Amino acid sequence: MSDAFTREPPWDPRRFPPASRAPRPVQTARMLRDPLAYARSLRRRFGPVFSLRTYPYRGALVCAAGAAANRAVLTDHERFTGGDAAALLAPAIGTRSLICTPPPLHLTHRKLLLPPFHGERITRWAQRVRELVHGGLPELLGGDGVPVRPWAQRLTLDVILRVVLGLTDPARVATFRRALNAYVATGNLAVLFLPGPLRRDLGPLSPGGRFHRLRTAVWDLTREEIAARRAAPDRAHRDDVLSMLLDARDEHGAGLDDAQLLDELTGLVLAGYETTATTIAWTLHLLAHHPAARDDLIADLDAGSDRLLKATVKESGRLRPAVYNAMRTAAHDTELGGHPVPRHAFVAALFPLTHLDPELWPEPDAFRPGRHLGPDPGPYALTPFGGGVRRCIGVSLAQLEIETALREILAAAVPEPAGPPEPARLVAVTIVPARGGRVRLRGRQERRAAAAHVRHL
Ligand code: HEM
């Protein structure tokens, strides 16, 4: 167990915000079955700040909803500290990755990582992303329906491997893809939720053994890229994040050593592809089930505008944010929303609860992209990419990928339902559509022909 888990205070109803009396296994099962409905029911019962008693926490997870509590957790760094709070994911993404780095080192590393992700630099990838979307389109179109998420995962992984590691050789990309897919498979990462001893490497057949073997495979491949790039004579002219990071220096002239680079790169790849793919899948799935919003968007895109496209992505990020929560730990005994929070307790800003708050978003369950064409209800009412000094550094890249994928797909096809709307499932910290976000994509020409045929009958 990492420090953050060993420091965690035990459950004591007098020291934590209110919680359901349901036993821990029941609360855990309800969260896994329906993370949106269960958290909302607790919020309705207890107000914007409550405790959730689920595994793997031995005390409780303090949950925050609504703009005020969301803002406090994301921006009050004196009281709520990031880095250590990502303890659960640290063995998978790397203890020295930005996500797992506590202050003050976090800010130093963030400054090193930010330049390649700047919006202007990211726009240079637009053509490459378009090509990758185009190349994958035939697999999506036609048929009775496809789950969009696996398709989008292939796309976003190819993009991230190109942008972050600079991979261009198709054979090398394929090798990485195989290693990463095996590593991030739900069955493998489930090991993170096992009690400490079971997570250890207890031989090749144990879950821990498998996890360590698959992680080593990803690390070895990444180490080879770092070594090759260090030796590359053309590094100064390369545009990938790895090449830039090798030469990045902080204000004291210090750079990242190979162990830090390894964790930063693994963290960027893992943080960047599942999230983006999940958002693409949810957005197409929501559009398929809301034909009026879909047709308005297609008409707006056809007219050369991207106003509704941006509003649609916002609305999808509001209703189905890919990342469920942002985690912090309480730096000292404090309060949140008038309730006590003990030192070292885990605290989570639960984004879906804030995004579905009827005081901020009237008719919160309705998918209405048009609501984002006017002013937003406030800065911390909509935070799919988080906020404060730990806000997502990949936001420009993610938006470029999501917008490009939607623009290209909707120019060629119209999403229609391929079954009932899918419920949300929680996989680690990601909210995914239960069946991969199935949609039927009908080619626009085919659809027009079918409509003309019906008119002639
Ligand atoms: C739709 C896609 C994405 C979503 C919804 C998303 C969401 C988030 C959220 C909510 C956070 C804040 C976590 C916190 O406050 O603790 C975050 C942080 C982060 N994201 Fe993303 N992300 C996406 C795509 C990406 C991409 C494409 C990359 C990189 C290539 C990336 C890299 C990171 C990193 C490194 C952090 C940590 C920042 C820090 O601690 O300073 N993300 N992301």
Side-chain angles (χ1 to χ4, degrees):
M1 279 276 175
S2 87
D3 279 349
F5 278 107
T6 48
R7 284 198 304 254
E8 192 199 353
W11 170 246
D12 176 348
R14 291 162 307 177
R15 299 186 66 209
F16 276 89
S20 156
R21 283 167 188 267
R24 198 180 293 273
V26 173
Q27 295 198 30
T28 307
R30 293 193 65 182
M31 269 305 279
L32 289 175
R33 197 168 57 235
D34 198 338
L36 300 183
Y38 186 51
R40 284 176 98 182
S41 74
L42 294 175
R43 198 242 149 114
R44 275 195 297 275
R45 197 165 143 202
F46 298 116
V49 177
F50 57 86
S51 299
L52 191 60
R53 300 192 53 226
T54 56
Y55 295 116
Y57 307 99
R58 77 189 161 119
L61 180 63
V62 175
C63 299
N70 196 27
R71 172 191 226 126
V73 175
L74 291 177
T75 63
D76 192 339
H77 310 296
E78 296 293 311
R79 291 198 291 150
F80 303 112
T81 314
D84 285 348
L88 183 70
L89 299 177
I93 46 183
T95 45
R96 287 152 300 195
S97 67
L98 193 62
I99 297 170
C100 302
T101 305
L105 197 57
H106 169 259
L107 214 53
T108 311
H109 280 198
R110 192 171 159 101
K111 280 189 199 149
L112 291 179
L113 255 67
L114 269 174
F117 289 99
H118 193 274
E120 273 169 30
R121 275 194 191 262
I122 288 298
T123 48
R124 71 174 64 172
W125 296 107
Q127 180 57 25
R128 182 73 195 118
V129 176
R130 255 195 309 273
E131 286 163 11
L132 286 169
V133 175
H134 256 289
L137 268 184
E139 294 164 48
L140 263 189
L141 304 187
D144 286 339
V146 280
V148 177
R149 192 161 168 265
W151 176 87
Q153 280 168 319
R154 283 194 291 283
L155 166 76
T156 56
L157 185 55
D158 281 1
V159 172
I160 207 98
L161 290 175
R162 175 66 187 90
V163 173
V164 172
L165 295 179
L167 297 187
T168 47
D169 172 21
R172 190 75 178 152
V173 171
T175 308
F176 258 94
R177 196 191 286 137
R178 270 195 304 277
L180 278 161
N181 283 342
Y183 181 47
V184 303
T186 314
N188 185 45
L189 292 190
V191 83
L192 301 175
F193 294 84
L194 294 177
L198 292 181
R199 276 190 264 154
R200 290 201 200 108
D201 184 351
L202 302 172
L205 296 180
S206 66
R210 185 181 150 79
F211 174 81
H212 285 93
R213 184 164 41 81
L214 295 175
R215 186 174 66 181
T216 304
V218 172
W219 280 354
D220 285 350
L221 287 170
T222 311
R223 282 197 190 98
E224 285 165 21
E225 290 305 316
I226 296 173
R229 201 60 48 75
R230 263 202 202 288
D234 66 339
R235 194 169 79 224
H237 307 291
R238 296 184 63 120
D239 50 11
D240 53 84
V241 175
L242 167 56
S243 298
M244 289 187 222
L245 285 184
L246 279 168
D247 294 320
R249 297 288 176 269
D250 66 20
E251 61 264 37
H252 307 295
L256 299 169
D257 61 30
D258 277 6
Q260 286 166 331
L261 263 175
L262 176 68
D263 279 8
E264 291 295 13
L265 296 170
T266 317
L268 285 171
V269 170
L270 294 185
Y273 92 95
E274 293 247 283
T275 44
T276 311
T278 302
T279 304
I280 293 172
W282 273 125
T283 312
L284 276 174
H285 191 69
L286 286 163
L287 285 170
H289 287 273
H290 296 85
R294 173 197 68 196
D295 294 346
D296 286 351
L297 172 58
I298 291 175
D300 201 50
L301 285 170
D302 286 354
S305 155
D306 63 6
R307 256 182 104 218
L308 261 184
L309 177 64
K310 289 186 187 299
T312 303
V313 178
K314 272 190 171 182
E315 182 65 344
S316 154
R318 182 187 72 79
L319 263 183
R320 296 289 181 266
V323 175
Y324 190 70
N325 59 341
M327 294 289 297
R328 305 289 183 264
T329 49
H332 45 77
D333 284 350
T334 181
E335 66 77 38
L336 188 60
H339 298 290
V341 177
R343 180 172 183 230
H344 294 324
F346 284 97
V347 181
L350 293 197
F351 299 140
L353 291 192
T354 302
H355 295 180
L356 296 167
D357 184 337
E359 282 176 23
L360 300 169
W361 304 101
E363 295 180 59
D365 292 296
F367 178 73
R368 281 211 319 256
R371 69 169 93 224
H372 300 284
L373 296 178
D376 277 349
Y380 288 87
L382 183 62
T383 54
F385 293 99
V389 289
R390 305 195 86 102
R391 185 169 188 258
C392 179
I393 67 164
V395 53
S396 299
L397 178 61
Q399 279 167 342
L400 173 77
E401 291 180 72
I402 299 163
E403 289 176 15
T404 307
L406 290 173
R407 208 180 278 117
E408 299 297 316
I409 292 168
L410 295 176
V414 179
E416 295 175 351
E422 294 180 21
R425 288 275 176 276
L426 195 53
V427 177
V429 292
T430 320
I431 304 183
V432 305
R435 286 180 291 282
R438 291 185 70 81
V439 298
R440 181 172 182 227
L441 280 156
R442 267 230 273 177
R444 285 177 66 173
Q445 278 173 355
E446 180 205 335
R447 206 163 176 265
R448 268 195 298 271
H453 180 70
V454 170
R455 275 198 301 275
H456 277 100
L457 289 178

